[in-house]
Amino acid sequence: MKNDKARPLLLTAFSAAAFFCVVAGSAFAHSRVDGGSHAGLNIPQISHGEMAVISDYRGRIIDLASRAVETNEPFRRVLNYAEIQYSYCLWGRMPGSVTDEASPFNECAHAYLAATKAVLLSMREMPREAATAGEIISAVDADMVRRGLALITCRFSGEAFNTADIVKPRWGGIPFHAASMASLTGLASLFGLGVFALRRFSRPKAQSSE
């Protein structure tokens, strides 16, 4: 019985350990993918203050861009980059990834939000999307002024990006960022408990002897 009760804890610990082994294995990797040719399209930088507002409108921007019909290749490449970067940044779910300069996910958040901003500005020139894009831009500008974010910068605010250069989270910085560490530890624990529950309920019941 004691061994049975200990199994959930052991499984959770093992899952968490395995998770962080993967993270540790990536700790020595650069934040950007090595060997980037920079042969892609350049994406202008985004300020720290702009990020907070663009992040709030990201869903509307990407939805509008995804429904656009009269597009060109550069537009589609930047849109694709914005979505790829978003997934690399764990879909913006990490606490502080947008607002906290010290977050290991802040630079990759700069990348996908800079691309999102570039997509929005490009849609000003599209006949069908121009009006809606203009409304979003006006709302973003108003929010920037209302929240006093126009002059807020950080160490990544002057950094431009390129569609050929994927920006990864700084995995090695996670143990030193409390919010990220707590979030990933909780995720690993939930994963472990989920695996345990799945195995427990899928295990065939022992037949009683006559």
Side-chain angles (χ1 to χ4, degrees), residues 10-186:
L10 290 174
L11 184 57
T12 300
F14 176 80
S15 300
F19 180 85
F20 286 110
C21 280
V22 174
V23 171
S26 303
F28 298 102
H30 296 294
S31 60
R32 292 174 179 266
V33 172
D34 293 334
S37 66
H38 295 281
L41 301 174
N42 291 324
I43 298 173
Q45 68 272 15
I46 186 172
S47 72
H48 194 73
E50 286 179 300
M51 284 178 63
V53 180
I54 292 292
S55 178
D56 292 340
Y57 290 89
R58 181 192 172 278
R60 288 179 59 187
I61 295 169
I62 297 300
D63 181 63
L64 179 64
S66 299
R67 291 185 285 105
V69 178
E70 298 178 12
T71 63
N72 53 38
E73 183 182 355
F75 176 83
R76 292 191 295 271
R77 288 173 65 185
V78 175
L79 175 60
N80 185 56
Y81 178 81
E83 297 190 285
I84 290 173
Q85 274 293 162
Y86 187 56
S87 64
Y88 263 94
C89 206
L90 301 187
W91 304 277
R93 302 302 183 191
M94 295 304 297
S97 60
V98 173
T99 58
D100 185 2
E101 179 183 357
S103 169
F105 295 84
N106 189 244
E107 186 180 16
C108 71
H110 268 267
Y112 80 76
L113 289 171
T116 301
K117 175 187 173 183
V119 166
L120 173 62
L121 295 180
S122 295
M123 288 190 289
R124 292 183 302 181
E125 309 301 323
M126 297 181 179
R128 296 184 181 181
E129 288 72 37
T132 304
E135 292 175 1
I136 297 174
I137 291 171
S138 297
V140 168
D141 288 341
D143 277 1
M144 289 281 291
V145 174
R146 180 176 58 83
R147 296 163 62 178
L149 297 174
L151 300 178
I152 303 298
T153 62
C154 73
R155 57 179 171 153
F156 300 121
S157 292
E159 183 176 354
F161 301 94
N162 188 283
T163 57
D165 192 5
I166 298 297
V167 181
K168 295 180 178 179
R170 292 182 295 107
W171 297 111
I174 290 176
F176 307 101
H177 189 253
S180 297
M181 188 68 177
S183 180
L184 291 178
T185 300

